[in-house]
Amino acid sequence: MNRFIIMRASRFGSTALLGCSALFISTVQAAERSGGRVEEVVVTGTREAEQLRDFAGSISLVKGNDITVVGSTHHSEIMNRAPGTMIQRNSGEESLTAIRSPVLSGPGSCGTFLFLENSVPIRPTGFCNVNELFEVNSEQASSIEVLRGPAGVIYGSGAMHGAINVISAQPGEMPARSLALEGGPDEYYRGKLGLSHKSDATDIGGVVVASHDGGWRDSSGLEEQKLNVGLTHRRGDAQMGLDLAATNLNQETAGFIQGFNAYRNEAIAKSNPNPEAYRDAYAVRLTGRYEQPLNDNMQLAVRPYVRYSRMDFLQHFLIGKPFEENGQESMGVLTALDFTAFNNTRFLTGLDLEVAQGFLKETQPGPATDGAPAANAIRPAGKHYDYRVDSRVAAVYGQVEQPFAQRWKALGGVRYEYVDYEYDNRMIAGNTREDGTTCGAGGCLYNRPADRNDDFSNVTSKLGLTYEITDDHTLYVTGTRGYRAPDTSELYRLQRQQSVADLDSERLDSIELGARGFFGPLGYSLAAFTMDKDNVIFRDSNGFNVSDGRTEHDGVEYEFSWAPLETLSVALAGTYAKHTYDFDRVVEQGETIVAGRDVDTAPRHINTARLNWSFLPSAAAELEWISVGKYFVDASNSNQYEGHDLLNLRVSWQATENWRALVRLNNVTDRAYADRADFAFGNYRYFPGRGRTLFVEVRYETE
């Protein structure tokens, strides 16, 4: 780690270090003239609540009122407010994620990010799904936190490029009764209900949202329901609670449209080449909370949890269109002991344990007929995969924060994590048909490894230094390592002649320099980062899963907020980043990776701006601009998407103390654009973006 920091700092120093030095000087000078105070913003970047100004790293907070005003019909609409974040919407509730990274796809890519609900991961290690964010009720969240870059030693495998933590409203924070009804085009209807009851010792409350969407593309409707129920009980200084979360999705899926700039043709954009496609999924999570001060300087927190999920969907994007069934059952506990000792030294330590059982089945209902004869021949009807994996995860971590001098604080931490997979193949091993017969001299495409065990041990660390220039301005520098253990689908869902995937854990080493603070009504957050990622897992030209890739990631991020008047405010956020390959290889489908080229689906520029105007005492409007820069859509950097700019308008009217109306006009200029652009099999492919759309919501709340 130390060798990495020295090596990277020497390359990075001529730009980021000098830039941050200049920023440091200008910030100090301006701070001396500032008479404002830091806004009391609380985040949970270490699972425990703390002031944002004390956090050594990049974290963005989306507040509850913003969540209400935006009224997302897809989680990307609210989460993309954070700089360095680009969640691309596919069909329905599907998505692909980028946080301080390219948009990552493929088996296991979802393991690069950690998705949490109330600081607890929503999926077990090794069993992620790229679309799993729809399992969380972001529509009714109290707040959403986006951590950018490795999330430190508190969180384990997965929090490499970043993490998203959706914070549910606790019963004590909820109104007694709330109801919202919303409507939009293409038979879009949504209802939201919230109820709570508070007493001296116990609070209980819950929210539910139910959506019906007829779909703006052909045969692309969905039905979705989400439920969150929370209970909090206080006994003396101790606090106990239970949180139940459940979601159900029944979706008719629309596939890629094809052809260069096909999204500009309205008829093609609304078409669905795969009307047979679907996705059905449901998930349930139950989490306990126990917090107990042991003395004036020590607090214990314990979070036990159980999780269950199932998903069935048609893989319409594959020749033969097999359908997949997968699921997981898991339980675990997260613990934290937070105490302060001599010289105001803060110690945070804990033990995390998890056990899980997951399964995957893939079945092709009939002979493949939609590919070339040779491709059809190696994709037989019947079962392709049928396996179960039992996993065990154990981790121990510790972090120390030491204030020194007058305004300095040093931070250091380490985490050790052990992951063990026990794989059970429930079919004939090898690349044969289900009955053991071959598909010809080269065998069938799908290869099933024999039963085996795999384990991975990883150590992550974080070093940080913060300097509080004044009460309103903070500078920080961090060096962090993130990692992820290979996903079970990368290890056991093999193809062709690969019977064993000898994979290492991916690792990412990061240096970050940043500043945040306030100049009276002007708030800012700036960060410059450089990251090296090793053991990148990909599929090579033989169709083998290998882990010897390498990428580099350098960039800057910014957030500004300015309220020159009580009735007027402006918010800006964005990133300029370069994500490049650092190795040479021919990969699957014959694409050639060359060191120094951009990773595909990695725009250099992503920017947003929002203007908020309270034009009446009871009414306000928000105008939002979203800009996504051009990006290459293949590894060879031969084809690209031009990017797009969108405008959204939202108006809110507080008619009475209890009644509120909201009007949302998305894509005001009716811009033709692509939510996702791709190039594969010799052709451009797009998930088209939706044109101008109006939604109206009426809300009722009472204490």
Side-chain angles (χ1 to χ4, degrees), residues 13-27:
S14 60
T15 53
L17 289 174
L18 290 177
C20 282
S21 297
L23 172 65
F24 179 91
I25 295 171
S26 63
T27 302

Side-chain angles (χ1 to χ4, degrees), residues 153 413-417 457-461 481-483 507 509:
V153 302
V414 64
R415 178 188 182 95
Y416 170 79
E417 182 169 289
S457 296
N458 289 284
V459 176
T460 186
S461 55
R481 166 165 287 184
Y483 63 90
R507 294 194 303 269
D509 291 315

Side-chain angles (χ1 to χ4, degrees), residues 398-590:
Q399 181 169 289
V400 180
E401 297 179 6
Q402 178 62 64
F404 66 96
Q406 185 175 0
R407 293 182 175 271
W408 292 87
K409 182 174 69 175
L411 176 150
V414 64
R415 178 188 182 95
Y416 170 79
E417 182 169 289
Y418 175 78
V419 179
D420 177 72
Y421 297 137
E422 183 178 342
Y423 161 76
D424 177 20
N425 176 34
R426 298 186 167 190
M427 295 180 65
I428 298 172
N431 57 341
T432 68
R433 293 186 176 91
E434 182 180 1
D435 60 6
T437 59
T438 65
C439 294
C444 302
L445 174 65
Y446 306 105
N447 199 338
R448 299 170 292 274
D451 294 355
R452 57 181 287 117
N453 281 67
D454 294 277
D455 61 83
F456 305 89
S457 296
N458 289 284
V459 176
T460 186
S461 55
K462 180 174 183 177
L463 297 174
L465 187 67
T466 63
Y467 175 58
E468 191 176 310
I469 307 171
T470 70
D471 290 343
D472 297 345
H473 303 272
T474 302
L475 296 176
Y476 66 87
V477 57
T478 62
T480 314
R481 166 165 287 184
Y483 63 90
R484 75 168 180 96
D487 194 81
T488 54
S489 62
E490 295 170 314
L491 288 165
Y492 310 123
R493 196 175 190 173
L494 305 181
Q495 293 187 3
R496 297 179 176 90
Q497 301 300 318
Q498 187 178 26
S499 57
V500 175
D502 186 16
L503 303 178
D504 292 326
S505 297
E506 290 189 346
R507 294 194 303 269
L508 185 145
D509 291 315
S510 169
I511 298 175
E512 179 176 338
L513 302 167
R516 64 171 65 94
F518 284 82
F519 299 103
L522 173 65
Y524 68 93
S525 175
L526 300 168
F529 64 88
T530 181
M531 307 190 299
D532 265 353
K533 188 175 175 184
D534 293 318
N535 300 334
V536 175
I537 299 172
F538 64 98
R539 185 164 283 170
D540 67 13
S541 57
N542 295 316
F544 288 14
N545 289 345
V546 296
S547 59
D548 56 356
R550 180 184 172 96
T551 56
E552 294 182 351
H553 312 265
D554 304 294
V556 293
E557 298 162 344
Y558 68 89
E559 282 186 282
F560 293 100
S561 61
W562 181 43
L565 301 173
E566 188 174 335
T567 58
L568 187 68
S569 65
V570 179
L572 307 173
T575 182
Y576 172 82
K578 187 176 182 181
H579 308 281
T580 56
Y581 294 107
D582 194 27
F583 71 111
D584 302 312
R585 185 70 60 86
V586 177
V587 296
E588 194 176 32
Q589 299 180 27

Side-chain angles (χ1 to χ4, degrees), residues 61-227:
L61 179 68
V62 181
K63 298 180 180 179
N65 187 61
D66 292 333
I67 295 170
T68 298
V69 170
V70 172
S72 303
T73 59
H74 187 271
H75 46 268
S76 62
E77 296 171 15
I78 188 66
M79 295 178 184
N80 286 351
R81 290 192 167 209
T85 305
M86 185 175 70
I87 298 175
Q88 290 188 334
R89 182 173 188 170
N90 295 349
S91 177
E93 292 300 305
E94 299 171 349
S95 63
L96 292 173
T97 301
I99 304 174
R100 198 174 278 184
S101 72
V103 173
L104 299 176
S105 61
S109 62
C110 45
T112 302
F113 312 103
L114 191 61
F115 302 132
L116 308 119
E117 183 178 54
N118 301 323
S119 300
V120 178
I122 65 172
R123 287 286 188 103
T125 298
F127 300 95
C128 71
N129 183 275
V130 293
N131 302 295
E132 67 190 60
L133 266 175
F134 71 74
E135 295 180 359
V136 187
N137 189 352
S138 57
E139 296 93 331
Q140 295 171 292
S142 172
S143 62
I144 299 172
E145 297 172 352
V146 180
L147 292 86
R148 304 188 299 280
V153 302
I154 309 302
Y155 299 109
S157 181
M160 277 179 58
H161 278 283
I164 294 176
N165 191 10
V166 178
I167 309 297
S168 303
Q170 293 304 304
E173 305 168 349
M174 297 171 55
R177 293 180 296 278
S178 64
L179 175 67
L181 299 175
E182 183 178 3
D186 302 304
E187 300 180 6
Y188 182 87
Y189 309 106
R190 180 165 64 179
K192 301 174 186 176
L193 176 66
L195 297 171
S196 71
H197 175 74
K198 308 172 187 67
S199 66
D200 292 339
T202 304
D203 301 330
I204 186 170
V207 294
V208 61
V209 55
S211 305
H212 168 86
D213 188 351
W216 72 276
R217 297 179 64 192
D218 297 339
S219 303
S220 64
L222 63 84
E223 303 276 352
E224 185 178 33
Q225 305 85 37
K226 296 180 181 180
L227 170 71

